[in-house]
Amino acid sequence: MSEARRIVESGYDSSAERYLEWSARIEDDPRMRFLGELTGRLPDGSRVLDLGCGAGVPCTAVLAERHDVVGVDLSATQLELARRNVPGGRFEKGDMTTVSFPDGSFDAVTAFYSVLHVPREEQGALFARIAGWLRPGGWFLAALGCSEANGVEADWLGTPMFFSSYAPAVNRRSLEAAGFTLEVDEPVTMQEPEGSARFHWVLGRR
């Protein structure tokens, strides 16, 4: 495992409860709005993969109300919370860049604020893997990074954390190269407890 992955795994293991409390104080978080963009396009019983599912709330839990959901996360501590919070889901410890699923396994893949923990030079290959896991016409919903961040923040919720991203124009090119047609493409600013943060929301169809 790379140093970046070790930092992400240990960071979320140690900050799991703090992260839930912190995220509950975010203002104008558009997750549920964009999740609605996806769920409005999915028939009941769709198979959905949630990459970086964390503690399973709120998005994995909402998905599991109507769909067959598999959550993947690096953090064992987060997965313990997810199994308690979303008893109807199935969860697997793993790295989204190396986990393996058969081609055409899912109707949708989601990644809420998780791809930005993958080294940015690996994100294009990840998008191609995700496209392969989707059935033709399947959907990929993600909140990607919006900046040129690429490194470790020394104190994020009391722990080091790795962040890596490109500007939206690069994200678009990478997603299109992976075979996605973007139906939602929207940079959005929200208010985290420490100040404003901007993310690139995308909903692409394979």
Side-chain angles (χ1 to χ4, degrees), residues 28-40 56-65 112-113 141 143 190 201:
D28 306 317
D29 188 338
R31 273 187 291 190
M32 301 313 293
R33 172 164 69 90
F34 288 110
L35 182 59
E37 292 277 359
L38 172 64
T39 56
V57 289
C59 295
T60 322
V62 171
L63 286 165
E65 291 173 2
F112 299 97
Y113 309 116
L141 172 66
M190 64 185 189
W201 283 90

Side-chain angles (χ1 to χ4, degrees), residues 47 49 51 70 72 92 99-106 129 132-133:
R47 291 203 72 212
L49 173 64
L51 295 173
V70 177
V72 171
E92 178 178 332
V99 69
S100 180
F101 297 100
D103 287 352
S105 293
F106 297 100
R129 286 166 57 79
W133 297 333

Side-chain angles (χ1 to χ4, degrees), residues 7-8 10-11 14-15 18 150-163:
I7 290 168
V8 173
S10 64
S14 65
S15 69
R18 289 195 305 278
N150 189 36
V152 177
E153 187 174 322
D155 184 5
W156 181 79
L157 302 185
T159 185
M161 183 54 67
F162 175 81
F163 296 97

Side-chain angles (χ1 to χ4, degrees), residues 6-203:
R6 280 191 289 271
I7 290 168
V8 173
E9 180 177 5
S10 64
Y12 275 107
D13 278 343
S14 65
S15 69
E17 296 285 358
R18 289 195 305 278
Y19 178 77
L20 279 180
E21 185 276 332
W22 174 86
S23 61
R25 292 188 286 123
I26 293 173
E27 298 177 11
D28 306 317
D29 188 338
R31 273 187 291 190
M32 301 313 293
R33 172 164 69 90
F34 288 110
L35 182 59
E37 292 277 359
L38 172 64
T39 56
R41 294 167 163 88
L42 291 179
D44 285 359
S46 295
R47 291 203 72 212
V48 182
L49 173 64
D50 189 14
L51 295 173
C53 62
V57 289
C59 295
T60 322
V62 171
L63 286 165
E65 291 173 2
R66 290 179 46 208
H67 305 294
D68 178 12
V69 178
V70 177
V72 171
D73 204 280
L74 269 177
S75 167
T77 305
Q78 292 277 29
L79 289 171
E80 288 174 14
L81 295 173
R83 292 185 179 102
R84 292 207 300 266
N85 291 329
V86 193
R90 289 176 292 124
F91 297 95
E92 178 178 332
K93 186 178 187 301
D95 179 340
M96 70 177 77
T97 66
T98 60
V99 69
S100 180
F101 297 100
D103 287 352
S105 293
F106 297 100
D107 300 294
V109 176
T110 58
F112 299 97
Y113 309 116
S114 55
V115 173
L116 53 82
H117 295 303
V118 173
R120 61 188 187 177
E121 63 272 15
E122 300 177 27
Q123 291 177 14
L126 173 61
F127 297 152
R129 286 166 57 79
I130 290 168
W133 297 333
L134 285 168
R135 295 175 181 139
W139 298 95
F140 176 43
L141 172 66
L144 306 174
C146 235
S147 69
E148 295 289 340
N150 189 36
V152 177
E153 187 174 322
D155 184 5
W156 181 79
L157 302 185
T159 185
M161 183 54 67
F162 175 81
F163 296 97
S164 192
S165 60
Y166 287 114
V170 180
N171 295 337
R172 290 183 194 108
R173 289 197 296 270
S174 296
L175 288 161
E176 289 165 358
F180 289 104
T181 299
L182 295 184
E183 298 208 5
V184 172
D185 175 0
E186 186 179 340
V188 178
T189 300
M190 64 185 189
Q191 295 298 317
E192 294 180 344
E194 299 79 15
S196 62
R198 193 165 176 82
F199 297 92
H200 184 199
W201 283 90
V202 293
L203 177 62

